[in-house]
Amino acid sequence: MLCKPGRELDETILEREKLHPEVPIQRLAAEITPKLFHKKGALGAGRNDNPEKSSYLTQIYLVVGKLQTDEQLDVLEKKKGIKLSPSQRTTYKTIGGTPHLDNDYTVFGEIVEGMEVADAINGVKTDKNDLPLETVTFKPVVLSKKEVLKLKKVE
């Protein structure tokens, strides 16, 4: 599995919107920046195929991804017409990610500590639709930029 969705699935959101056409569709405007990319541990905002690339209000995903090779990254760059930075390429080759989502989905954060917990959540048993057999609940802790920098200095 490359990404694990959290909260609602696309089908649930789209079906609810279809059942209530009187309620305006709400999405978050896309905030796509090359500095935030789909490396392992990134948190992104799910969306349907809308041309504005705006995100659902109630769906996040965790990038699990896999290691990439130079050849895979070269093919991706050509196919998407993008150029990954040397740092992005190194990251995709050493910790992994899902680079095919870059420039199309908003990344709004990342796990900076405790990735082993996220890996354990990713490893729960699922049904044929990849839905967990048991509900997994968690409470994220949002760190300030100062706290993140402090953590990075400790490493």
Side-chain angles (χ1 to χ4, degrees):
M1 177 50 102
L2 299 176
C3 295
K4 282 291 187 180
R7 195 75 188 257
E8 293 186 281
L9 299 174
D10 290 5
E11 295 81 9
T12 307
I13 296 167
L14 297 172
E15 186 62 31
R16 183 178 59 248
E17 290 174 350
K18 206 183 308 179
L19 290 173
H20 298 284
E22 73 283 1
V23 178
I25 294 174
Q26 294 184 309
R27 300 280 190 271
L28 296 171
E31 294 184 31
I32 298 170
T33 174
K35 290 181 181 179
L36 299 174
F37 59 101
H38 289 85
K39 64 184 175 182
K40 181 178 180 177
L43 299 170
R47 67 175 184 84
N48 61 351
D49 290 327
N50 68 80
E52 298 83 23
K53 300 180 182 180
S54 57
S55 305
Y56 294 127
L57 299 177
T58 57
Q59 186 186 90
I60 63 169
Y61 58 84
L62 164 66
V63 176
V64 179
K66 61 180 183 175
L67 296 178
Q68 304 290 311
T69 65
D70 279 317
E71 293 78 21
Q72 290 170 315
L73 296 173
D74 292 343
V75 168
L76 176 85
E77 285 179 329
K78 186 174 182 179
K79 180 179 178 183
K80 291 189 75 168
I82 63 172
K83 183 71 176 150
L84 298 171
S85 72
S87 174
Q88 288 172 315
R89 289 182 76 89
T90 298
T91 300
Y92 282 133
K93 292 187 312 184
T94 58
I95 69 165
T98 55
H100 69 275
L101 298 178
D102 289 349
N103 298 331
D104 287 320
Y105 290 79
T106 297
V107 173
F108 61 84
E110 71 177 283
I111 294 175
V112 294
E113 187 175 280
M115 190 63 198
E116 65 280 354
V117 175
D119 286 338
I121 292 169
N122 186 53
V124 300
K125 293 184 187 224
T126 59
D127 65 16
K128 65 181 180 177
N129 297 314
D130 202 33
L131 296 172
L133 296 176
E134 294 183 31
T135 300
V136 177
T137 58
F138 57 91
K139 182 178 179 184
V141 176
V142 179
L143 302 178
S144 69
K145 196 173 202 176
K146 186 177 181 180
E147 291 169 314
V148 171
L149 292 173
K150 185 177 177 183
L151 276 175
K152 289 187 176 189
K153 284 182 182 178
V154 171
E155 294 173 353

